[in-house]
Amino acid sequence: MSAARWRGTLIYTGTLATIGTVAFARFGPLAQAEAPATAAGASSGSIGGAAPSVVGAPGSTSVAPGTGTDGSGTSATDPADPQTGTPQAETVTVVGSVAQTRYGPVQVQVTFTGSRLIDVRTLQAPSSHPESAQISARATPLLAREVLAAQSASIDTVSGATYTSEGYRESVQSILDQRG
């Protein structure tokens, strides 16, 4: 009788260990990317601590979405850290194209440090009907995490939000195409 109890406990413990390992493998890089933000005391909601320059945002001085003042699609920051003298990666925010879906438009903004995606924000999501708004509210945070984890537009479709997922993927891909 007691051997059966121990076997169940061992199976349960082994299952939890496996789930923890898989979760760490999948989401561990996200936690490492967020660690500098908490150490720097970032309160702006973006990872990295410094306020990024926004390219193509309302009120910005850029000519068109995705093109900086030099026409390259980026805006420069200080090339070296004044305290250490080491080169800093450029922090740039790019606004993607609007992807029209069956239920409404989807538009995404991505912040890069160098070539690494560090923040993804949804600017537009289907919301014309209460159900569309509810689906978008559930799906867009998942899609943003997927983009950060994949560091590309090759992301899984969120169940129940197929059109939103496709529009999200399309908008992110337009940003990556702008960046080259």
Side-chain angles (χ1 to χ4, degrees):
M1 181 77 162
S2 87
R5 284 189 201 161
W6 278 106
R7 188 174 69 192
T9 302
L10 290 175
I11 291 171
Y12 178 76
T13 305
T15 303
L16 286 179
T18 302
I19 290 170
T21 303
V22 169
F24 182 75
R26 181 167 176 113
F27 300 111
L30 291 177
Q32 292 170 354
E34 291 173 0
T38 56
S43 60
S44 66
S46 64
I47 300 172
S53 59
V54 177
V55 178
S60 71
T61 58
S62 62
V63 180
T67 52
T69 54
D70 63 352
S72 66
T74 61
S75 61
T77 59
D78 189 6
D81 183 345
Q83 295 175 348
T84 62
T86 58
Q88 285 184 331
E90 180 178 56
T91 299
V92 177
T93 299
V94 182
V95 176
S97 64
V98 177
Q100 294 297 333
T101 70
R102 180 176 179 177
Y103 297 103
V106 177
Q107 186 178 29
V108 178
Q109 159 184 303
V110 176
T111 302
F112 296 86
T113 295
S115 62
R116 184 159 176 75
L117 285 74
I118 61 167
D119 189 33
V120 179
R121 295 182 189 233
T122 305
L123 300 178
Q124 292 185 53
S127 60
S128 59
H129 295 89
E131 186 177 6
S132 295
Q134 183 179 16
I135 290 170
S136 295
R138 177 182 56 84
T140 54
L142 298 172
L143 292 165
R145 277 184 276 181
E146 286 282 326
V147 168
L148 287 175
Q151 290 290 301
S152 75
S154 299
I155 56 174
D156 293 333
T157 299
V158 173
S159 178
T162 303
Y163 293 104
T164 302
S165 299
E166 289 172 359
Y168 210 89
R169 200 175 298 124
E170 185 180 322
S171 187
V172 170
Q173 187 60 53
S174 74
I175 292 169
L176 298 175
D177 292 345
Q178 287 178 34
R179 291 279 297 177

Short mmCIF file of all heavy atoms in Angstrom, two decimals, residues 3 7 12 17 26 28 30-31 33 37 42 44 47 50 52-53 61 72 80-81 97 99 119 128 138 141 149 174:
data_model
loop_
_atom_site.label_atom_id
_atom_site.label_comp_id
_atom_site.label_asym_id
_atom_site.label_seq_id
_atom_site.Cartn_x
_atom_site.Cartn_y
_atom_site.Cartn_z
N ALA A 3 3.94 1.57 -0.99
CA ALA A 3 4.72 1.65 -2.23
C ALA A 3 3.91 2.33 -3.32
O ALA A 3 4.45 3.10 -4.12
CB ALA A 3 5.17 0.26 -2.67
N ARG A 7 4.95 5.78 -5.31
CA ARG A 7 5.04 5.78 -6.77
C ARG A 7 4.24 6.97 -7.33
O ARG A 7 4.71 7.66 -8.22
CB ARG A 7 4.52 4.46 -7.34
CG ARG A 7 4.78 4.37 -8.83
CD ARG A 7 4.41 3.05 -9.40
NE ARG A 7 2.95 2.95 -9.34
CZ ARG A 7 2.26 1.86 -9.54
NH1 ARG A 7 2.89 0.73 -9.78
NH2 ARG A 7 0.95 1.85 -9.47
N TYR A 12 4.19 12.36 -9.74
CA TYR A 12 3.76 13.75 -9.62
C TYR A 12 4.97 14.69 -9.59
O TYR A 12 5.03 15.69 -10.30
CB TYR A 12 2.91 13.92 -8.37
CG TYR A 12 2.46 15.34 -8.12
CD1 TYR A 12 1.44 15.90 -8.87
CD2 TYR A 12 3.07 16.11 -7.14
CE1 TYR A 12 1.02 17.20 -8.64
CE2 TYR A 12 2.66 17.41 -6.90
CZ TYR A 12 1.64 17.95 -7.66
OH TYR A 12 1.24 19.23 -7.43
N ALA A 17 8.69 18.52 -12.30
CA ALA A 17 10.06 18.86 -12.70
C ALA A 17 10.15 19.02 -14.21
O ALA A 17 10.82 19.94 -14.71
CB ALA A 17 11.03 17.79 -12.21
N ARG A 26 11.60 27.50 -22.35
CA ARG A 26 10.82 28.34 -23.25
C ARG A 26 10.83 29.81 -22.83
O ARG A 26 10.95 30.71 -23.65
CB ARG A 26 9.38 27.85 -23.32
CG ARG A 26 8.53 28.67 -24.25
CD ARG A 26 7.23 28.02 -24.55
NE ARG A 26 6.43 28.88 -25.36
CZ ARG A 26 6.10 28.62 -26.61
NH1 ARG A 26 6.49 27.52 -27.16
NH2 ARG A 26 5.36 29.45 -27.28
N GLY A 28 12.77 31.21 -20.15
CA GLY A 28 13.99 31.67 -19.49
C GLY A 28 14.64 32.84 -20.20
O GLY A 28 15.04 33.81 -19.56
N LEU A 30 13.24 35.15 -21.87
CA LEU A 30 12.46 36.36 -21.60
C LEU A 30 12.80 36.93 -20.24
O LEU A 30 12.92 38.13 -20.08
CB LEU A 30 10.96 36.06 -21.66
CG LEU A 30 10.41 35.72 -23.04
CD1 LEU A 30 8.94 35.37 -22.94
CD2 LEU A 30 10.61 36.89 -23.98
N ALA A 31 12.96 36.08 -19.25
CA ALA A 31 13.30 36.54 -17.91
C ALA A 31 14.68 37.19 -17.90
O ALA A 31 14.90 38.19 -17.23
CB ALA A 31 13.25 35.38 -16.92
N ALA A 33 16.05 38.71 -20.45
CA ALA A 33 15.93 40.00 -21.15
C ALA A 33 15.29 41.05 -20.26
O ALA A 33 15.59 42.22 -20.37
CB ALA A 33 15.12 39.83 -22.43
N ALA A 37 16.07 45.47 -17.07
CA ALA A 37 15.06 46.51 -16.92
C ALA A 37 14.72 46.71 -15.45
O ALA A 37 14.57 47.83 -14.99
CB ALA A 37 13.81 46.17 -17.72
N ALA A 42 13.40 50.58 -14.74
CA ALA A 42 12.58 51.07 -15.85
C ALA A 42 11.12 51.10 -15.45
O ALA A 42 10.59 50.13 -14.98
CB ALA A 42 12.76 50.18 -17.07
N SER A 44 8.94 52.83 -17.70
CA SER A 44 8.24 53.24 -18.91
C SER A 44 7.49 52.10 -19.55
O SER A 44 6.78 52.32 -20.52
CB SER A 44 9.24 53.81 -19.92
OG SER A 44 10.11 52.79 -20.36
N ILE A 47 11.37 47.32 -22.05
CA ILE A 47 12.51 46.62 -21.48
C ILE A 47 13.77 47.36 -21.88
O ILE A 47 13.93 47.76 -23.02
CB ILE A 47 12.54 45.16 -22.00
CG1 ILE A 47 11.27 44.46 -21.59
CG2 ILE A 47 13.75 44.43 -21.49
CD1 ILE A 47 11.10 43.10 -22.20
N ALA A 50 16.13 52.65 -20.88
CA ALA A 50 16.21 53.95 -21.51
C ALA A 50 14.96 54.17 -22.34
O ALA A 50 14.40 53.25 -22.89
CB ALA A 50 17.44 54.01 -22.43
N PRO A 52 13.14 54.74 -25.47
CA PRO A 52 13.53 54.56 -26.87
C PRO A 52 13.05 55.73 -27.72
O PRO A 52 12.10 56.40 -27.38
CB PRO A 52 12.82 53.27 -27.26
CG PRO A 52 11.62 53.22 -26.36
CD PRO A 52 12.06 53.85 -25.08
N SER A 53 13.74 55.94 -28.83
CA SER A 53 13.25 56.92 -29.78
C SER A 53 12.17 56.23 -30.60
O SER A 53 12.26 55.06 -30.91
CB SER A 53 14.39 57.37 -30.69
OG SER A 53 14.93 56.28 -31.38
N THR A 61 9.49 63.47 -35.57
CA THR A 61 10.01 64.29 -36.65
C THR A 61 10.36 63.48 -37.88
O THR A 61 10.89 64.02 -38.82
CB THR A 61 11.27 65.04 -36.18
OG1 THR A 61 12.23 64.07 -35.75
CG2 THR A 61 10.96 66.00 -35.06
N SER A 72 17.09 56.04 -43.02
CA SER A 72 17.53 54.66 -42.88
C SER A 72 16.54 53.78 -42.14
O SER A 72 16.71 52.58 -42.08
CB SER A 72 18.87 54.60 -42.15
OG SER A 72 18.69 55.05 -40.82
N ALA A 80 28.53 55.66 -27.46
CA ALA A 80 29.32 55.06 -26.39
C ALA A 80 28.73 55.44 -25.04
O ALA A 80 28.21 56.53 -24.85
CB ALA A 80 30.77 55.54 -26.46
N ASP A 81 28.84 54.51 -24.11
CA ASP A 81 28.39 54.75 -22.73
C ASP A 81 29.38 55.72 -22.10
O ASP A 81 30.59 55.45 -22.06
CB ASP A 81 28.37 53.42 -21.98
CG ASP A 81 27.84 53.55 -20.56
OD1 ASP A 81 27.75 54.69 -20.05
OD2 ASP A 81 27.52 52.51 -19.97
N SER A 97 3.19 48.28 -40.63
CA SER A 97 2.05 48.63 -41.47
C SER A 97 0.76 48.10 -40.84
O SER A 97 0.79 47.19 -40.02
CB SER A 97 2.24 48.05 -42.87
OG SER A 97 2.25 46.63 -42.80
N ALA A 99 -2.35 45.94 -40.92
CA ALA A 99 -2.82 44.73 -41.59
C ALA A 99 -4.34 44.69 -41.44
O ALA A 99 -4.85 44.66 -40.32
CB ALA A 99 -2.19 43.50 -40.98
N ASP A 119 10.87 44.97 -27.23
CA ASP A 119 9.52 45.32 -26.79
C ASP A 119 8.60 45.28 -27.99
O ASP A 119 8.98 45.70 -29.09
CB ASP A 119 9.50 46.72 -26.17
CG ASP A 119 8.18 47.07 -25.51
OD1 ASP A 119 7.53 46.15 -24.97
OD2 ASP A 119 7.80 48.25 -25.52
N SER A 128 -14.19 46.26 -33.13
CA SER A 128 -15.46 46.83 -33.56
C SER A 128 -16.66 46.17 -32.88
O SER A 128 -17.70 46.78 -32.75
CB SER A 128 -15.60 46.75 -35.07
OG SER A 128 -15.52 45.40 -35.49
N ARG A 138 -7.24 39.19 -25.21
CA ARG A 138 -6.65 37.93 -24.76
C ARG A 138 -5.45 37.53 -25.63
O ARG A 138 -4.44 37.06 -25.14
CB ARG A 138 -7.71 36.82 -24.81
CG ARG A 138 -7.19 35.45 -24.43
CD ARG A 138 -8.26 34.37 -24.55
NE ARG A 138 -8.87 34.27 -25.87
CZ ARG A 138 -8.35 33.57 -26.88
NH1 ARG A 138 -7.20 32.96 -26.74
NH2 ARG A 138 -8.97 33.51 -28.03
N PRO A 141 -1.39 40.06 -26.00
CA PRO A 141 -0.24 39.87 -25.11
C PRO A 141 0.49 38.55 -25.39
O PRO A 141 1.72 38.49 -25.32
CB PRO A 141 -0.84 39.85 -23.71
CG PRO A 141 -2.16 40.52 -23.84
CD PRO A 141 -2.63 40.25 -25.22
N ALA A 149 9.98 36.00 -27.93
CA ALA A 149 10.66 34.71 -27.75
C ALA A 149 11.28 34.24 -29.06
O ALA A 149 12.40 33.74 -29.08
CB ALA A 149 9.68 33.67 -27.21
N SER A 174 6.34 43.34 -41.61
CA SER A 174 6.59 44.60 -42.31
C SER A 174 7.68 45.40 -41.58
O SER A 174 8.50 46.06 -42.23
CB SER A 174 5.30 45.43 -42.42
OG SER A 174 4.94 46.01 -41.19
#
